[in-house]
Amino acid sequence: MNIKTKIIVTIQVAVSTIMMNAQNTTKKLPGDVSLPSTKASLEKLISYDKGHFKYKVEDYFARPKASQFKISPDGSFLSYKEKDKDKKNHVYVKDLKTGKVTRAIEEKEDLIKSYGWLNKKRLFFTQDKGGNENLHLYAADVDGSNLKDLSPFDGVTLSSVKLIKDTDFVVVTMNKNNKQIFEPYKINFVTGEMVQLYENKDVNSPIDDYIFDKDGDLRGYIVLENGLTTKTYYKDLKTGKFNLLKSTDWSDTFSIIGFNNNSKNKDEAYVVTNLDSDKAKIVLYDLKKNEAIKDVYSHPIYDVSSIHVAEKNRNYELDYISYNGVKNETVPVSKFYKEIDAQLKSQFGNKEFGVVSSDDNNDKLLVVVGSDKLYGTYYEYDTKTKQTKLLYDLMPQLKEEDMAEMRPIEFKSRDGLTIHGYITLPKAALEGKKVPLVVNPHGGPQGIRDDWGFNPETQLFASRGYATLQVNFRISGGYGKEFQKAGYKQIGRKAMDDVEDGVKYAIAQGWIDKDKIAIYGGSHGGYATLMGLIKTPELYTCGVDYVGVSNIFTFFDSFPEYWKPYKEMAKQIWYDLDNPKEAEIAKEVSPVFQIDKIKKPLFVVQGANDPRVNINESDQIVKAMRAKGFETPYLVKYDEGHGFGKESNRLELYKYMLGFFAENFNK
């Protein structure tokens, strides 16, 4: 991950544990427990979502019966998650020779966030507590035995996990010794034995990332100096000394994404860089000589930052390059993958597909196929016979012919920038009828963007006859560093102008009923919802703020410890609150100080254990809105963090949201 994206997306986890509502418990809970709306008042919202709809909320947001299929390294087992009657998603392992199925990992109160294979006999999985993002790494045998917490420390989280192939070890980075900084540990995933590999001593200029080779040896690291300069150090293989390789501004990119183990030159690596270009590109680089060997791939419009390299069986050759353009694009490189790509394209046409799992010999691949109208279908692909076999349809209840089209759009901002995005259009809009619109700004905001593909939210809204607009406004990632920088210190200002210009574009196409426009988003999207209702109150009918920032000052003050090294970056991305002029701007674009400008209904949603956007952000806005006489429904879940992970909570959220939209669109 590029360092500049870490402010909002440092650790991408959100799970849950505490099971009681504020309305009926005396236990000490986060936030002001008097504020959340009663269950009865929220349930009343559901009644407004009237009509004869072919699909229910559950059809889009109930988790698939089975999901996350993976092949074991030796190809003997197939693992997957399967949901029980209590909506718990346990991990099962099927012996492909005998057909025997065993539950290997039991999901209890906490969601299993991720899982995978460590070797042919052992699995890993990750969990936190109550959405607090203090992620733990666990391991268990395929029969569920020998369960171990590999990071058994309270208040500690993981930043990365790297498997060392053909050994019993993983290398993890965690903030065990100092909550603000991360250090690497080598852990035996069978015994749990742990050894610290390196010390991260300077909290003011900490090591921000570690670079390991395939054997688990530390080959380099990146220091974040004074919060604004990134210094990449690389190890001289003869002397063992770490020498300075690059010193760059934090907003530039020079990132070692993997060593070229296909080469005899041990200093050769694949690097993502934009030091001599606007768009990030893949370069083959000699780290000892500190010079580029050759450009591997670049694109004139989009950043390119991802590669896939084969394993030992094919001498680590480069298989393909991928990037996010209008759609997700894959550029085949190796002869092996070119044949696979051609075969799958001939079978699946314009749908997107990707290899998500393989045995070590690449005899069997698991491929997921999807599109804007297809949630996802798993296929088995035999690389020897070149045959595909349907394995599992994740959402068979949703028929492609009933789903809405997600259309890429492009328009000019009021100051001349080219802005990209997507609009999902229900059939009525395509037939010439003007329909209600849900404007959905993305989170982040920096380094994040909306993508083409199946989106349960936009499809749910389309099932009710609503279009959804998703604008990749300035500061979004993937369109080059200048486009991203154009949004720095413009959060709540020009970034919002881009969203508004997108709405005007959609209206001009004749798709939208300009009197029925809602705005809804999560995280920064929640903040953008509040700012939209403030900045252009005449444009919107209503808004839904989901775990959104309401006060930039208290948001900065509540950063978790491991975000504090990035505070100087945050000042450059958002606003420098120590600068009087910028502090004044920050006040002007902090919604809680502009409540008098909100004229339209607002629904607020929050996970109580959210470490990124503290519950105080939502409490503040609800108190202020109610003080001026607005009812302001407020949904809080005390077993969630930064976004709802539990199925039952997600179903409630979308049922209430649909009712809220219907109530306000039909006034």
Side-chain angles (χ1 to χ4, degrees):
M1 180 183 296
N2 291 341
I3 195 169
K4 59 192 172 188
T5 67
K6 290 188 177 180
I7 304 297
I8 299 298
V9 294
T10 306
I11 315 281
Q12 294 292 340
V13 293
V15 288
S16 48
T17 185
I18 308 169
M19 294 298 292
M20 292 182 281
N21 282 331
Q23 292 87 350
N24 59 12
T25 181
T26 57
K27 186 176 180 179
K28 176 64 177 174
L29 295 171
D32 185 339
V33 297
S34 70
L35 291 175
S37 301
T38 64
K39 181 87 168 178
S41 66
L42 292 170
E43 290 287 330
K44 185 179 178 181
L45 288 172
I46 297 175
S47 65
Y48 294 105
D49 184 36
K50 298 175 182 177
H52 299 289
F53 305 119
K54 185 170 184 178
Y55 296 104
K56 307 186 298 295
V57 171
E58 286 83 356
D59 292 322
Y60 298 95
F61 283 99
R63 296 194 185 282
K65 175 64 176 172
S67 62
Q68 297 187 33
F69 292 84
K70 302 176 191 292
I71 298 176
S72 65
D74 64 353
S76 297
F77 298 98
L78 178 70
S79 62
Y80 53 93
K81 282 186 175 181
E82 185 171 294
K83 184 171 66 173
D84 67 15
K85 61 181 178 58
D86 298 317
K87 297 182 173 60
K88 301 295 185 184
N89 284 270
H90 312 296
V91 176
Y92 291 85
V93 173
K94 180 179 181 180
D95 188 317
L96 295 177
K97 289 184 178 179
T98 66
K100 181 182 178 182
V101 175
T102 304
R103 187 168 74 184
I105 304 169
E106 180 183 4
E107 183 175 87
K108 297 180 181 177
E109 294 306 319
D110 296 320
L111 299 178
I112 296 170
K113 178 62 179 177
S114 63
Y115 92 95
W117 288 91
L118 291 166
N119 59 23
K120 64 183 181 180
K121 295 181 179 179
R122 200 147 169 81
L123 296 155
F124 75 85
F125 64 101
T126 58
Q127 290 179 314
D128 74 355
K129 296 289 185 184
N132 64 6
E133 302 193 2
N134 290 330
L135 191 68
H136 283 234
L137 177 69
Y138 298 85
D141 288 348
V142 293
D143 62 358
S145 64
N146 195 20
L147 174 65
K148 287 191 180 298
D149 183 350
L150 300 179
S151 54
F153 310 108
D154 291 336
V156 171
T157 192
L158 305 179
S159 177
S160 66
V161 179
K162 178 181 176 62
L163 173 64
I164 308 172
K165 293 285 287 186
D166 303 317
T167 74
D168 290 341
F169 295 95
V170 291
V171 172
V172 307
T173 53
M174 55 185 166
N175 57 346
K176 176 176 175 289
N177 296 322
N178 185 319
K179 298 300 182 289
Q180 291 190 27
I181 56 180
F182 292 82
E183 296 172 307
Y185 297 80
K186 186 176 181 180
I187 303 175
N188 185 308
F189 56 71
V190 177
T191 67
E193 182 182 358
M194 177 185 303
V195 177
Q196 185 170 340
L197 298 178
Y198 206 80
E199 280 189 279
N200 198 355
K201 298 178 181 179
D202 188 351
V203 72
N204 295 314
S205 295
I207 297 174
D208 182 68
D209 200 8
Y210 300 86
I211 303 157
F212 292 92
D213 62 20
K214 65 180 176 61
D215 300 316
D217 294 328
L218 182 65
R219 297 283 297 277
Y221 53 80
I222 299 171
V223 170
L224 178 58
E225 187 173 85
N226 300 317
L228 293 174
T229 301
T230 59
K231 291 190 171 182
T232 302
Y233 289 82
Y234 178 65
K235 183 179 180 181
D236 186 305
L237 294 178
K238 289 185 178 179
T239 66
K241 182 182 178 182
F242 288 91
N243 300 311
L244 179 63
L245 181 69
K246 290 288 181 186
S247 180
T248 66
D249 183 78
W250 70 272
S251 61
D252 291 328
T253 298
F254 182 87
S255 177
I256 300 167
I257 55 174
F259 289 94
N260 182 16
N261 297 310
N262 184 252
S263 171
K264 293 180 180 179
N265 180 0
K266 300 296 184 184
D267 297 304
E268 200 170 296
Y270 293 103
V271 167
V272 177
T273 181
N274 62 9
L275 295 184
D276 62 353
S277 60
D278 177 54
K279 309 300 187 293
K281 60 184 178 180
I282 306 289
V283 174
L284 196 60
Y285 206 88
D286 189 310
L287 299 173
K288 184 176 182 180
K289 294 179 180 178
N290 194 12
E291 64 183 26
I293 299 170
K294 65 176 182 178
D295 284 2
V296 177
Y297 193 83
S298 62
H299 194 281
I301 300 174
Y302 306 107
D303 292 328
V304 181
S305 60
S306 181
I307 62 173
H308 184 275
V309 176
E311 294 290 345
K312 181 170 60 177
N313 67 305
R314 288 191 285 111
N315 196 31
Y316 308 102
E317 65 178 338
L318 178 61
D319 267 342
Y320 58 85
I321 296 149
S322 57
Y323 66 93
N324 208 348
V326 172
K327 298 181 180 179
N328 292 305
E329 303 289 348
T330 299
V331 182
V333 177
S334 68
K335 179 182 177 182
F336 176 83
Y337 195 78
K338 283 180 179 178
E339 291 179 356
I340 293 171
D341 185 73
Q343 174 72 20
L344 295 177
K345 278 180 179 173
S346 69
Q347 181 169 352
F348 299 118
N350 292 327
K351 289 185 171 65
E352 290 184 341
F353 58 82
V355 176
V356 294
S357 183
S358 170
D359 62 272
D360 283 346
N361 290 328
N362 300 135
D363 293 332
K364 288 185 179 180
L365 311 180
L366 293 188
V367 178
V368 171
V369 179
S371 73
D372 57 338
K373 298 182 179 182
L374 176 65
Y375 183 86
T377 306
Y378 278 87
Y379 288 84
E380 293 180 359
Y381 180 76
D382 190 309
T383 59
K384 293 181 178 178
T385 66
K386 314 297 183 186
Q387 297 297 309
T388 56
K389 182 175 70 173
L390 176 64
L391 176 63
Y392 198 81
D393 186 347
L394 291 168
M395 286 194 170
Q397 72 275 18
L398 297 178
K399 305 303 179 186
E400 287 184 68
E401 60 269 22
D402 295 328
M403 298 298 107
E405 175 189 355
M406 187 181 199
R407 181 176 295 184
I409 60 171
E410 179 182 312
F411 59 91
K412 289 289 186 180
S413 70
R414 64 192 67 178
D415 59 352
L417 284 181
T418 298
I419 307 294
H420 299 267
Y422 302 90
I423 190 163
T424 301
L425 296 167
K427 287 183 171 60
L430 299 178
E431 293 167 355
K433 182 180 179 181
K434 293 185 177 182
V435 301
L437 176 68
V438 178
V439 181
N440 183 215
H442 65 67
Q446 78 288 350
I448 308 298
R449 56 160 286 184
D450 283 314
D451 309 324
W452 185 86
F454 192 93
N455 185 317
E457 284 188 340
T458 65
Q459 292 295 341
L460 173 64
F461 299 155
S463 74
R464 268 48 179 180
Y466 311 152
T468 303
L469 175 68
Q470 296 169 293
V471 175
N472 285 326
F473 42 84
R474 69 191 71 199
I475 209 173
S476 300
Y479 299 97
K481 62 183 175 184
E482 292 307 317
F483 185 80
Q484 186 162 319
K485 287 180 178 179
Y488 293 168
K489 298 187 187 296
Q490 292 298 330
I491 297 170
R493 299 196 290 166
K494 288 185 179 180
M496 289 304 303
D497 290 348
D498 294 343
V499 175
E500 294 156 19
D501 291 346
V503 176
K504 292 174 183 176
Y505 168 85
I507 292 171
Q509 307 312 302
W511 297 318
I512 305 305
D513 181 342
K514 63 181 179 58
D515 296 320
K516 294 183 178 181
I517 302 177
I519 183 167
Y520 149 67
S523 196
H524 165 267
Y527 165 82
T529 292
L530 298 173
M531 282 307 302
L533 295 177
I534 289 164
K535 192 169 179 289
T536 49
E538 74 287 347
L539 189 61
Y540 298 111
T541 306
C542 61
V544 179
D545 162 22
Y546 183 24
V547 296
V549 174
S550 69
N551 182 336
I552 295 173
F553 296 86
T554 54
F555 170 57
F556 270 51
D557 287 342
S558 65
F559 279 3
E561 288 295 308
Y562 48 85
W563 277 13
K564 289 183 178 177
Y566 310 111
K567 197 162 189 177
E568 292 303 313
M569 287 186 205
K571 290 179 180 179
Q572 292 203 6
I573 294 169
W574 289 71
Y575 300 99
D576 183 352
L577 305 183
D578 297 324
N579 179 314
K581 289 184 179 179
E582 290 194 26
E584 186 59 33
I585 296 171
K587 187 172 182 179
E588 291 172 2
V589 295
S590 286
V592 75
F593 301 117
Q594 309 295 329
I595 289 295
D596 61 306
K597 297 176 183 176
I598 298 181
K599 310 295 184 183
K600 302 295 176 62
L602 174 67
F603 177 22
V604 180
V605 183
Q606 181 68 42
N609 305 311
D610 190 342
R612 306 187 206 181
V613 178
N614 188 278
I615 190 173
N616 182 45
E617 295 300 307
S618 290
D619 280 1
Q620 287 181 72
I621 207 73
V622 170
K623 286 179 181 177
M625 287 291 290
R626 289 178 180 170
K628 62 177 275 187
F630 275 71
E631 182 182 350
T632 315
Y634 185 25
L635 172 64
V636 176
K637 288 296 179 181
Y638 289 88
D639 52 353
E640 298 284 10
H642 195 61
F644 291 180
K646 290 191 172 181
E647 181 178 312
S648 59
N649 293 339
R650 288 160 65 87
L651 294 178
E652 280 187 40
L653 167 62
Y654 288 105
K655 288 177 180 179
Y656 299 156
M657 194 188 307
L658 285 179
F660 181 77
F661 288 153
E663 177 189 16
N664 289 287
F665 283 154
N666 296 323
K667 280 183 176 177

